[in-house]
Amino acid sequence: MLVRNRILSLQLASLINPSSSLLPFSKPTLSFPTRYLSHWTLHNPTHRHVSASASKTTQTRQISDAARFVRTVLFVPPGVDPDEVMEDMVLPGSNIVIGPYAGESRIKEVEFVKSSGKAKECPKDHRPEFAILGRSNVGKSSLINALVRKKEVALTSKKPGKTQLINHFLVNKSWYIVDLPGYGFAKAPDAARMDWSSFTKGYFLNRDTLVAVLLLVDASVPPQKIDLDCANWLGRNNIPITLVFTKCDKMKASKGKRPDENIRDFQQVIRQNYKVHPPWIMTSSVTGLGRDDLLLHMSQLRNYWDQ
């Protein structure tokens, strides 16, 4: 069924406030990264067919709420007509539409390649790569282990700041998962603290093979300024991102909002800064929620990057 005909029945409707997400953005300060603007949104025209006598003003007014939802909230990949998006094309627990570039997503083998202390020391074989980034203890290593379906491929620890180098893992001998140092761990000793500004940012600004950053956000806690600042910095520097909400199966012991409420709050802030909402997906390393769907999303990004 076309989304434009039954938008309220979308599985992700409960995570998005219709009263706000269906309205045009006011005074956006950031655009979606230009690498995706050219790749993804050129296939997303801003007009519908109307009668020849209709004025431009009438055309704008006649765009339905459902059409605006698709064009501003959903992540529509190339090869997909926004007017033909169907409900079963949207990955559950996400805003991601799957298109013709989605392909084989199974991880058959993975091997650790190297740890690098500087961006210039990273592998130079021109294979595409996805960087995993987030606050320390957000579940970066757990997500990597879940994606590859192997325990302890990436080091997991309850002590924030264990990952202190750029770690490359070769997947299916064709692309990389990159485990980056976490940011925001205040309890680490001074000698172990990472200068995120000069270390990790140097990686982002100098990796032509970077397909996208998977920015992990803890859905079990309210939006954190440091995560929002990171997302905004990536946007300003045209670094493509996918928001990966982790720990979606958890609730904090103390009184607080549910993960879906925290996700909605985070998205509301992001929408103030991005003209086009970045792709996002809910995950849980414990239950496997979103694992296969995230891999499918990564496959279409990777396959389009290869074109």
Side-chain angles (χ1 to χ4, degrees):
M1 180 173 294
L2 293 178
V3 171
R4 67 171 184 244
N5 293 336
R6 196 183 172 194
I7 199 68
L8 294 179
S9 64
L10 279 172
Q11 292 178 315
L12 57 108
S14 64
L15 294 177
I16 301 176
N17 185 345
S19 63
S20 61
S21 63
L22 296 181
L23 296 176
F25 303 119
S26 60
K27 299 180 180 179
T29 58
L30 295 178
S31 299
F32 199 52
T34 54
R35 274 186 276 178
Y36 274 0
L37 280 174
S38 59
H39 292 174
W40 299 98
T41 60
L42 288 181
H43 300 267
N44 191 0
T46 58
H47 63 276
R48 281 174 174 264
H49 174 73
V50 295
S51 63
S53 61
S55 66
K56 292 183 179 180
T57 300
T58 303
Q59 289 181 22
T60 301
R61 291 176 179 175
Q62 288 183 342
I63 295 177
S64 68
D65 283 348
R68 187 174 291 114
F69 181 94
V70 170
R71 297 171 192 281
T72 59
V73 176
L74 295 185
F75 180 77
V76 182
V80 176
D81 183 343
D83 291 339
E84 300 300 322
V85 172
M86 304 181 73
E87 291 181 52
D88 60 2
M89 296 168 64
V90 182
L91 292 177
S94 82
N95 71 335
I96 300 169
V97 175
I98 289 300
Y101 284 95
E104 177 59 52
S105 60
R106 290 179 300 171
I107 292 181
K108 301 176 182 178
E109 58 180 310
V110 59
E111 61 178 302
F112 171 74
V113 175
K114 68 176 298 188
S115 294
S116 306
K118 299 179 181 179
K120 63 182 180 180
E121 298 173 357
C122 292
K124 297 179 175 62
D125 51 11
H126 303 293
R127 291 187 172 101
E129 57 192 46
F130 292 87
I132 311 292
L133 179 67
R135 286 189 299 116
S136 295
N137 216 26
V138 73
K140 293 189 293 89
S141 297
S142 296
L143 178 68
I144 293 174
N145 293 337
L147 291 176
V148 303
R149 297 176 183 267
K150 291 184 178 181
K151 295 181 179 179
E152 299 181 356
V153 169
L155 178 65
T156 60
S157 173
K158 293 185 178 180
K159 294 182 178 180
K162 293 296 290 185
T163 301
Q164 298 175 17
L165 297 170
I166 303 173
N167 299 307
H168 274 74
F169 299 88
L170 183 60
V171 179
N172 296 343
K173 298 187 183 300
S174 62
W175 57 280
Y176 288 111
I177 289 176
V178 185
D179 188 11
L180 294 175
Y183 54 81
F185 56 97
K187 295 182 180 180
D190 290 341
R193 294 192 185 196
M194 303 305 303
D195 183 351
W196 191 76
S197 295
S198 62
F199 182 76
T200 309
K201 287 182 180 180
Y203 164 83
F204 293 132
L205 298 175
N206 295 284
R207 291 299 286 179
D208 294 335
T209 54
L210 181 63
V211 177
V213 174
L214 305 185
L215 179 59
L216 275 56
V217 178
D218 187 345
S220 67
V221 298
Q224 303 294 302
K225 182 178 183 300
I226 193 169
D227 293 327
L228 294 165
D229 288 345
C230 180
N232 290 339
W233 182 89
L234 292 168
R236 286 194 301 271
N237 287 277
N238 297 323
I239 311 297
I241 68 171
T242 292
L243 298 172
V244 179
F245 293 101
T246 65
K247 305 180 183 180
C248 291
D249 58 313
K250 287 190 174 183
M251 274 293 292
K252 293 297 183 182
S254 59
K255 292 183 179 180
K257 293 185 177 181
R258 301 189 311 270
D260 61 323
E261 294 174 315
N262 290 327
I263 292 173
R264 183 186 299 117
D265 291 345
F266 191 94
Q267 291 171 336
Q268 287 176 343
V269 178
I270 286 294
R271 283 196 292 271
Q272 295 173 10
N273 295 328
Y274 280 79
K275 290 181 179 179
V276 179
H277 201 301
W280 62 267
I281 189 168
M282 299 171 60
T283 67
S284 168
S285 298
V286 176
T287 65
L289 172 70
R291 175 186 58 203
D292 294 338
D293 290 331
L294 177 56
L295 286 171
L296 189 60
H297 169 59
M298 292 166 69
S299 78
Q300 71 176 359
L301 294 182
R302 189 175 66 251
N303 290 336
Y304 188 74
W305 184 91
D306 283 335
Q307 298 300 310

